[in-house]
Amino acid sequence: MAGHFEATPGGGAAVALDEVEIAILRSLAVQLLELIGPGDEPAEGADPLAALFAEGPSEPPTDPALARLFPEAYGDEDGELRAASAEFRRFTENDLRTRKREDALAVVRTLDALTVADNGGAVLELTGDECRHWLGALNDLRLTIGTRLEVSDEDENDSGSLYRLPDSDPRKPMVMAYLWLGALQETLVETLMP
C-alpha cells in the first residue's frame, strides 16, 4: 500500500502516507484553496433560489493556472464564440469554483483527521465520496502545477524528460510533486474502476 491507493470494502480506498507526504498534500491543497479564492456564501436569511441564479464572471481569469482550471467553453477565434463562452462562464464558473473548493477542503479535512503513528506514518482511509473529492483535487493540483511548470503535451507523453531534470534545477521539487500526484491519481482511479 505504501505510495499507492488500494481498494477497501464499501467502495473506498486507502493509502499509507508518511508525515512529509501528509504535510506536502495538505500544503498543496491549502495553496489550491487560496488560488481558487473564497466562496460567496449567501447571507443568512438570503433567498436560496436567488443564490442559485447568481451570475458569475464573464471574463476568463488572467492567471494561467486559473485559466487552466476554468477554461473557455468554446474556442476564441471569433466574437460569436467568445460571447457564447462568456455567457456559459457567467452561469457555470461559480458552481465549478464551489466544487473545486469542496474537493480541496475534503483533502485538508481527511488529512487533518489522520492520527500519525510513532513511526511517522498513517493510513489514510477514504469513503467512496471522499475518493471522488480526492480525484478532483488531485486533478486540479496537477493541472495547476503543470501550468506553473509549463508542462507541454510532449512532456506529459515523455515523463522521462521530467525525471531527467538535474537536481540543481529549481523546478525539480515541483516536478517531483507533479509526478507523485500523478501516480497517486492513477492508482486511485485504478482502485475505483469496477
Side-chain angles (χ1 to χ4, degrees), residues 2-193:
H4 64 275
F5 280 96
E6 292 182 6
T8 58
V15 64
L17 300 169
D18 64 32
E19 284 180 292
V20 173
E21 292 168 328
I22 294 166
I24 290 170
L25 283 166
R26 189 181 191 291
S27 174
L28 290 172
V30 167
Q31 290 176 55
L32 181 62
L33 284 165
E34 291 170 356
L35 178 67
I36 293 169
D40 294 329
E41 297 296 320
E44 192 168 319
D47 179 8
L49 193 56
L52 182 65
F53 292 105
E55 294 182 12
S58 59
E59 294 297 319
T62 55
D63 181 313
L66 283 173
R68 184 70 177 101
L69 292 175
F70 306 104
E72 290 285 79
Y74 308 103
D76 59 352
E77 290 81 37
D78 64 39
E80 189 174 311
L81 290 177
R82 272 195 300 273
S85 282
E87 187 73 4
F88 183 80
R89 179 179 300 280
R90 248 173 14 122
F91 293 108
T92 61
E93 187 172 313
N94 285 344
D95 288 340
L96 186 56
R97 281 182 185 268
T98 297
R99 196 196 81 227
K100 289 180 181 301
R101 266 192 298 280
E102 288 170 356
D103 291 346
L105 278 170
V107 169
V108 171
R109 288 180 180 135
T110 55
L111 292 172
D112 286 351
L114 284 176
T115 302
V116 178
D118 292 338
N119 67 359
V123 175
L124 173 69
E125 294 186 25
L126 302 174
T127 65
D129 284 340
E130 290 169 335
C131 287
R132 285 182 279 290
H133 285 297
W134 268 74
L135 277 175
L138 288 171
N139 186 61
D140 291 342
L141 288 169
R142 288 192 76 240
L143 288 172
T144 301
I145 293 170
T147 301
R148 295 286 191 239
L149 291 170
E150 297 178 351
V151 173
S152 68
D153 288 340
E154 289 173 8
D155 295 328
E156 189 67 32
N157 294 331
D158 178 24
S159 62
S161 66
L162 294 175
Y163 281 112
R164 289 190 294 272
L165 282 178
D167 290 342
S168 60
D169 191 313
R171 300 172 299 162
K172 181 81 174 215
M174 287 311 295
V175 166
M176 297 312 294
Y178 175 80
L179 295 170
W180 175 59
L181 291 169
L184 281 176
Q185 183 181 20
E186 183 178 348
T187 62
L188 184 53
V189 167
E190 289 171 356
T191 298
L192 298 176
M193 293 180 77

